[in-house]
Amino acid sequence: MKILIIASDGKFLLNLKKELIERMSEKDHDIFVSAPESDADEDLKKIGCKILRSRIDRRGLNLFKDISTYTDYKKAIKKTKPDLVITYTIKCNIYGGLAARKYKVPYVANITGLGTAFQRNRIFKTLITAIYKRSLKKAKVVFFENSSNKEVMLQAKIIKETQAVVLKGAGVNLEKFKPLPVNENISTISFLMIGRIMKEKGIDELIYAAKKLKEKSTPCRIKIIGSFEENYLEELDLLKKADILYYEGVQSDIVPFLQECHAVILPSYHEGMSNALLEGAASARPLITSDIPGCREAVIDGETGYLVKARDAEDLFLKMNKFANLTLNQIKNMSQASRAHVAGIFDKEIVVKTTLSKIFDD
């Protein structure tokens, strides 16, 4: 079978769907990937992918750029003549789905999160609902990473119940992310945020909490790793100079940072299912994150970490301060419980098997 995967980012695809692609390649499926150029291209080729270029403005609302994206997906389908199209993220789902419908190719969509699309004004929400209805109408399967996102789309009558399948996010590779020893130096508690630097990831709330922890002389160190989606560079530089918050750039290997930290933080506004949280918990790190779909599933509040009121900077400060005052034994117990929780629910092997069974009707 020839399979065309349409994605907005090759690195995302490699990091989160490598095992799935490998399983499909092992079954002798011919895999094509349509995505913008990325430093993951060579690694994607190594696991059996043939790369086609496509353009996409992931966050913008430029009609002309979106038309170019749709055109690229149509060209990819005409060139590869796939038996199946698989799409990831909102614009790929929309324009990839429309292109697959146009050429009558079976397709599968993956809702990795709703973002702000359903939280804007009524006119925009009505528009995006209408577009999604058209693009997903003929989808063979629509995968979700949490049940709340599924219910939003069902209530909006975008899809049918028979199309929807909820996975446990992308899952986490329990062999790659193994339990790490707890950093026993609790004289300075180390927090780590892994995520894109943008308002919707809760960066403003984290900055507030970091400043207040410094003001209260709470002995802690806070680091962020990830790419910039919005311009916080100048502010983060000033915070680093003031010994308040440390931005460590984009990292290809997050394990050294997980080894050093005591807890992983993500005060996000919305998620499909946060992979940063799953990887942190699999590494035996407690989590401090928003009480929202896509984050709360990774935490047993008070046992494996703390849930924080969404968009509530003061509550984030209070939970971080509470964690910073735990004993070493309490942190160790929370760390072990965090690993056990995700290992029992979010094993990537189970997610991959479920995905393949739904795609190929095994």
Side-chain angles (χ1 to χ4, degrees):
M1 180 181 284
K2 287 196 289 187
I3 300 171
L4 173 62
I5 299 175
I6 295 176
S8 61
D9 181 35
K11 193 169 184 180
F12 155 86
L13 199 62
L14 182 69
N15 289 343
L16 302 182
K17 303 300 174 181
K18 179 182 177 182
E19 293 85 354
L20 177 64
I21 293 171
E22 287 175 333
R23 298 297 189 282
M24 292 193 293
S25 293
E26 288 167 6
K27 291 177 178 285
D28 294 324
H29 297 305
D30 206 5
I31 312 296
F32 298 87
V33 171
S34 177
E37 184 176 1
S38 81
D39 55 11
D41 286 350
E42 290 306 312
D43 289 324
L44 285 169
K45 290 175 184 177
K46 288 176 183 177
I47 61 173
C49 299
K50 300 175 181 67
I51 310 296
L52 293 88
R53 285 286 159 258
S54 57
R55 296 160 289 179
I56 188 168
D57 181 1
R58 288 188 299 167
R59 302 190 67 227
L61 296 173
N62 187 308
L63 179 60
F64 295 105
K65 289 183 178 180
D66 286 355
I67 289 172
S68 297
T69 299
Y70 177 53
T71 300
D72 286 349
Y73 296 159
K74 288 192 295 182
K75 287 179 180 177
I77 292 173
K78 288 175 72 175
K79 182 175 181 179
T80 60
K81 296 180 172 57
D83 301 294
L84 178 70
V85 171
I86 302 175
T87 63
Y88 291 96
T89 70
I90 182 168
K91 286 194 176 182
C92 299
N93 291 333
I94 289 173
Y95 298 116
L98 291 173
R101 277 195 68 185
K102 177 179 177 62
Y103 293 108
K104 297 181 171 57
V105 180
Y107 61 104
V108 171
N110 289 265
I111 308 298
T112 55
L114 298 181
T116 58
F118 289 87
Q119 299 177 10
R120 298 193 182 190
N121 61 64
R122 189 175 64 180
I123 294 174
F124 186 85
K125 183 176 178 179
T126 301
L127 176 62
I128 200 70
T129 297
I131 295 172
Y132 246 143
K133 276 183 181 180
R134 184 165 181 79
S135 61
L136 298 181
K137 183 177 181 180
K138 298 292 184 179
K140 178 180 180 180
V141 182
V142 180
F143 289 111
F144 294 88
E145 296 193 347
N146 65 68
S147 56
S148 295
N149 286 177
K150 169 192 163 184
E151 289 306 316
V152 168
M153 286 209 163
L154 287 176
Q155 289 174 13
K157 298 182 179 179
I158 293 171
I159 61 169
K160 298 176 183 177
E161 180 75 49
T162 52
Q163 293 174 285
V165 175
V166 179
L167 300 170
K168 298 298 182 181
V172 61
N173 188 323
L174 298 173
E175 290 301 311
K176 180 179 179 181
F177 293 95
K178 296 182 178 181
L180 298 171
V182 173
N183 179 355
E184 298 199 2
N185 177 22
I186 63 167
S187 60
T188 300
I189 291 294
S190 178
F191 296 107
L192 176 66
M193 175 177 165
I194 307 168
R196 290 173 290 155
I197 314 303
M198 56 192 296
K199 182 178 179 64
E200 291 171 18
K201 293 295 181 182
I203 188 70
D204 291 337
E205 287 76 10
L206 182 59
I207 289 171
Y208 170 91
K211 287 179 177 178
K212 193 158 184 179
L213 287 165
K214 180 73 171 180
E215 179 188 318
K216 298 293 183 182
S217 299
T218 301
C220 66
R221 192 172 183 84
I222 306 167
K223 292 186 176 182
I224 307 175
I225 55 177
S227 60
F228 280 99
E229 291 283 328
E230 295 170 2
N231 189 12
Y232 281 89
L233 181 58
E234 184 177 345
E235 186 171 8
L236 291 181
D237 280 344
L238 292 173
L239 291 169
K240 186 173 184 177
K241 290 174 183 177
D243 191 31
I244 294 173
L245 191 63
Y246 288 80
Y247 174 61
E248 301 290 345
V250 178
Q251 301 293 328
S252 58
D253 183 7
I254 65 171
V255 173
F257 293 88
L258 288 169
Q259 286 176 324
E260 178 189 355
C261 83
H262 294 96
V264 171
I265 302 172
L266 185 64
S268 184
Y269 295 178
H270 38 251
E271 295 286 330
M273 179 63 69
S274 169
N275 298 292
L277 294 180
L278 297 185
E279 291 166 1
S283 303
R285 292 297 177 261
L287 308 176
I288 300 175
T289 189
S290 304
D291 188 7
I292 60 168
C295 289
R296 67 166 70 104
E297 294 88 346
V299 182
I300 302 174
D301 193 25
E303 293 184 31
T304 71
Y306 297 119
L307 291 175
V308 177
K309 296 172 187 175
R311 306 177 189 237
D312 191 326
E314 182 66 19
D315 196 37
L316 178 62
F317 156 71
L318 291 172
K319 297 298 168 54
M320 291 175 70
N321 191 61
K322 183 176 182 179
F323 185 89
N325 285 286
L326 295 178
T327 66
L328 179 59
N329 281 339
Q330 287 174 318
I331 292 174
K332 285 184 174 181
N333 290 337
M334 193 172 274
S335 299
Q336 292 171 1
S338 189
R339 164 72 184 194
H341 177 58
V342 299
I345 299 174
F346 297 97
D347 186 345
K348 187 176 282 286
E349 281 298 312
I350 297 172
V351 173
V352 169
K353 287 178 182 178
T354 303
T355 303
L356 290 172
S357 70
K358 296 298 182 181
I359 291 176
F360 299 107
D361 300 317
D362 292 343

